[in-house]
Amino acid sequence: MAGRKSDFTLTKLDDLFTTQAQRDEEQLSKIRDIPLELIDDFPDHPFKVRDDEDMMQLVESVKERGVITPATVRQKEDGRYELVSGHRRKRACELAGFETLRSEIVDLNRDEATILMVESNFQRSEILPSEKAFAYKLRLEAMKRQGFRSDLTSDPVGQKFSVEKIADNSNDSKTQIQRYIRLTNLVPELLEFVDEGRIKMRPAVELSYLDEDCQRDVVDEIDLNDATPSHDQTIRMRKLFNEGNLTTEAIHAVMSEEKPNQKEKIVLRGDRVRQLIPKNIPVSQTEDFVCKALEHYNKFLRNRAERDSR
């Protein structure tokens, strides 16, 4: 009959080739503006969110254009949301005075979320050693729970195939990843020295094998001497620790040694010095000649000072 509406509705093409579960998952993954008060940070999130100049620039960008790339969250059993990636964007929204964060809701379990969180944050241009250390550790633990093989070996962290899997998708080698993970055994003060560049990776790894008391004794010695231990010193301290002989006195003895790189160096330009030395003086005798010349000059200065004081 003309004018009568048909009850017949055509099925969408996408619906013909997807299951109800897939459509439900697609519905769950829609992008929404979620209240900030309902979003919790990822547990043990290893990447620091700093209120620095870069953050202030992000705040201004958010004020002008909003959050262009949605954050990623997963819904928890209590109905709240857990932030997987976008901690800086969430902080920028807070500082900008926004009440919501544009987010994509994804259906991930904890281990899947951990791996995604680490991978998304590794896209940042600057990552501190401590951030890499705990990020690699979190990802390794998640992969172990997912069933990746982890044979015991002589490697520092004892995880073979799972570490190699991480290295396949990283700019760091398997050995370097293992070193980073060792850093998670450092006390906060030593880890901060690593972030500041005062302690290099390999000495830091050696120190990570000491117990907390010994590490804190090392921190005290660093503060006392205003100098960090060399790689050689950390190797010896680890050896003493393994033998049960690393006492506070032993740490002081090792740390009090003068390191080659702490000795003051005097650099003389060869061409300038050589033109002041008679040609008949062999190069092998240059140091002796310069020292004698300095002795005579110092004697001249003392004599002149005595004359001026009369």
Side-chain angles (χ1 to χ4, degrees):
M1 181 181 295
R4 181 179 176 183
K5 283 188 177 182
S6 171
D7 294 329
F8 179 78
T9 304
L10 290 174
T11 303
K12 292 181 181 179
L13 185 62
D14 287 345
D15 290 348
L16 291 174
F17 297 97
T18 59
T19 64
Q20 183 60 45
Q22 288 173 319
R23 292 193 291 275
D24 291 343
E25 182 176 350
E26 182 182 354
Q27 180 70 21
L28 183 64
S29 297
K30 282 187 176 180
I31 295 174
R32 307 174 190 172
D33 291 326
I34 300 176
L36 291 172
E37 62 183 17
L38 294 180
I39 303 175
D40 300 321
D41 289 343
F42 196 90
D44 299 321
H45 188 255
F47 298 95
K48 297 178 175 64
V49 177
R50 307 173 187 84
D51 291 344
D52 53 15
E53 184 178 348
D54 288 341
M55 175 59 72
M56 295 305 107
Q57 292 178 357
L58 181 57
V59 171
E60 291 304 315
S61 174
V62 167
K63 286 181 179 179
E64 292 177 9
R65 298 180 294 173
V67 176
I68 298 175
T69 303
T72 304
V73 301
R74 73 185 192 104
Q75 193 161 20
K76 301 194 297 182
E77 293 180 358
D78 60 2
R80 295 179 61 83
Y81 297 89
E82 183 175 273
L83 193 57
V84 178
S85 69
H87 288 73
R88 294 184 72 252
R89 279 163 281 174
K90 179 190 174 191
R91 178 57 178 163
C93 285
E94 292 172 345
L95 294 175
F98 289 11
E99 295 183 353
T100 61
L101 173 63
R102 194 158 181 76
S103 307
E104 179 182 7
I105 305 172
V106 294
D107 186 17
L108 299 174
N109 61 35
R110 170 53 56 79
D111 293 332
E112 292 168 339
T114 298
I115 293 172
L116 178 59
M117 179 272 294
V118 171
E119 290 178 346
S120 61
N121 279 280
F122 264 66
Q123 305 304 316
R124 291 162 49 181
S125 57
E126 294 184 9
I127 304 177
L128 294 173
S130 63
E131 294 175 326
K132 270 195 173 185
F134 285 100
Y136 278 139
K137 182 179 181 181
L138 281 174
R139 181 169 178 179
L140 178 65
E141 291 172 346
M143 292 176 69
K144 284 169 56 182
R145 287 191 294 269
Q146 286 185 324
F148 282 94
R149 186 177 173 186
S150 54
D151 292 349
L152 291 177
T153 71
S154 58
D155 291 329
V157 282
Q159 306 301 331
K160 187 177 181 182
F161 291 99
S162 46
V163 174
E164 290 176 351
K165 184 70 175 179
I166 296 175
D168 288 341
N169 301 302
S170 170
N171 293 326
D172 294 313
S173 66
K174 182 187 75 170
T175 300
Q176 190 71 351
I177 291 172
Q178 291 168 328
R179 287 173 178 158
Y180 273 117
I181 294 175
R182 280 301 318 174
L183 299 184
T184 62
N185 294 284
L186 292 174
V187 296
E189 295 88 344
L190 290 178
L191 193 54
E192 186 174 350
F193 288 145
V194 178
D195 282 344
E196 294 170 350
R198 293 184 62 186
I199 299 181
K200 300 302 180 184
M201 175 68 78
R202 296 183 72 180
V205 169
E206 297 295 331
L207 293 174
S208 74
Y209 287 94
L210 310 184
D211 64 17
E212 182 176 345
D213 290 340
C214 288
Q215 287 190 36
R216 296 204 176 278
D217 283 340
V218 171
V219 172
D220 292 340
E221 288 297 325
I222 291 174
D223 293 338
L224 179 65
N225 299 313
D226 193 26
T228 55
S230 66
H231 188 207
D232 176 70
Q233 287 174 322
T234 58
I235 289 174
R236 283 187 284 139
M237 284 192 283
R238 179 183 171 185
K239 184 175 184 296
L240 288 170
F241 177 77
N242 290 338
E243 296 170 347
N245 297 321
L246 189 62
T247 61
T248 300
E249 293 73 21
I251 292 174
H252 175 73
V254 173
M255 292 282 291
S256 297
E257 299 171 351
E258 185 178 42
K259 297 181 292 184
N261 61 357
Q262 288 179 309
K263 295 179 180 178
E264 187 175 1
K265 296 180 180 179
I266 299 176
V267 179
L268 300 176
R269 284 177 48 192
D271 56 345
R272 184 180 179 189
V273 172
R274 190 62 203 172
Q275 68 182 2
L276 298 174
I277 299 176
K279 293 183 179 180
N280 63 327
I281 302 295
V283 175
S284 60
Q285 296 179 18
T286 299
E287 182 180 352
D288 187 53
F289 183 88
V290 170
C291 289
K292 287 182 178 179
L294 290 172
E295 288 175 2
H296 285 290
Y297 185 62
N298 283 329
K299 184 177 180 180
F300 163 76
L301 292 177
R302 286 195 300 270
N303 291 337
R304 187 173 69 177
E306 290 176 0
R307 289 198 305 269
D308 294 342
S309 64
R310 292 173 185 172

